[in-house]
Amino acid sequence: MFDHIVEKLLRDAQANGKFDNLTGRGRPLKLDQEDEASEEWAANHLLKNQNLRPDWLEEDLAIRAELEQARQALQRTHRWRSEQLAALGTGNEADTLRAREWVEAEWRRAQREFREALEQLNQRIRTLNLKVPLERFQRRLLAPDAELKRLGS
């Protein structure tokens, strides 16, 4: 519970730009400067140098990449819809009304496909959350309505 509150506070602060001026922003953390005598250092060093990651981390990265692709596809369709509706104007001719309805149907289809993609990702997130070693690595389920609302704002 406490972890979720802290995570929400951190996400809100990040969204509000509270971390934008931190020293070292945009550069990788130097996590390999741990005590070289520790057993964990040797394992982490070996994994890092061999480009090996745990399966759960690979799955998390794949989920994030697919979510970004789904968001970009929806954003492209949203831009296309806006451009098409602007080009059609407010005319009431039969051809214009049919074209406007077709554009709206395409937008509804894109939203439906986006929701389906998020539901599939949520299934993968549920499985991922069973595999992660610590609760703090668990991912929250995606909320399609919140995603669509964010796109509209």
Side-chain angles (χ1 to χ4, degrees):
M1 170 92 173
F2 181 73
D3 290 345
H4 297 294
I5 293 169
V6 171
E7 288 176 15
K8 182 183 181 331
L9 290 171
L10 287 171
R11 275 194 305 279
D12 290 346
Q14 184 178 14
N16 292 327
K18 302 287 184 181
F19 302 126
D20 288 350
N21 295 324
L22 292 177
T23 304
R25 182 177 187 274
R27 292 188 304 238
L29 294 174
K30 295 185 180 183
L31 299 176
D32 56 352
Q33 294 180 348
E34 298 174 21
D35 180 13
E36 293 184 16
S38 76
E39 295 172 10
E40 289 179 12
W41 178 87
N44 288 334
H45 183 73
L46 185 65
L47 289 172
K48 181 180 175 185
N49 288 341
Q50 296 301 316
N51 290 326
L52 298 174
R53 292 186 181 123
D55 289 339
W56 65 267
L57 186 55
E58 290 290 340
E59 178 66 6
D60 184 51
L61 293 171
I63 289 169
R64 289 173 190 260
E66 288 181 37
L67 174 58
E68 186 56 32
Q69 289 174 350
R71 284 175 175 158
Q72 288 177 1
L74 188 67
Q75 288 170 347
R76 278 191 306 272
T77 305
H78 186 263
R79 282 191 303 271
W80 171 83
R81 173 184 172 249
S82 297
E83 291 166 1
Q84 293 299 313
L85 291 176
L88 289 169
T90 57
N92 289 330
E93 299 83 26
D95 289 345
T96 302
L97 293 174
R98 274 194 302 278
R100 193 176 297 120
E101 180 54 37
W102 177 75
V103 169
E104 291 299 340
E106 287 298 306
W107 173 236
R108 288 190 300 273
R109 182 191 55 76
Q111 290 179 14
R112 190 173 49 255
E113 288 177 0
F114 182 74
R115 288 176 186 279
E116 291 169 2
L118 263 54
E119 184 51 42
Q120 290 175 359
L121 289 173
N122 277 337
Q123 290 296 338
R124 291 174 59 190
I125 289 171
R126 288 181 185 97
T127 303
L128 171 72
N129 287 345
L130 295 173
K131 295 178 183 179
V132 297
L134 299 171
E135 184 179 339
R136 70 176 183 222
F137 296 127
Q138 289 185 348
R139 292 190 45 86
R140 290 181 183 215
L141 294 178
L142 303 166
D145 290 334
E147 292 278 340
L148 289 167
K149 184 177 179 182
R150 187 177 63 158
L151 176 66
S153 60

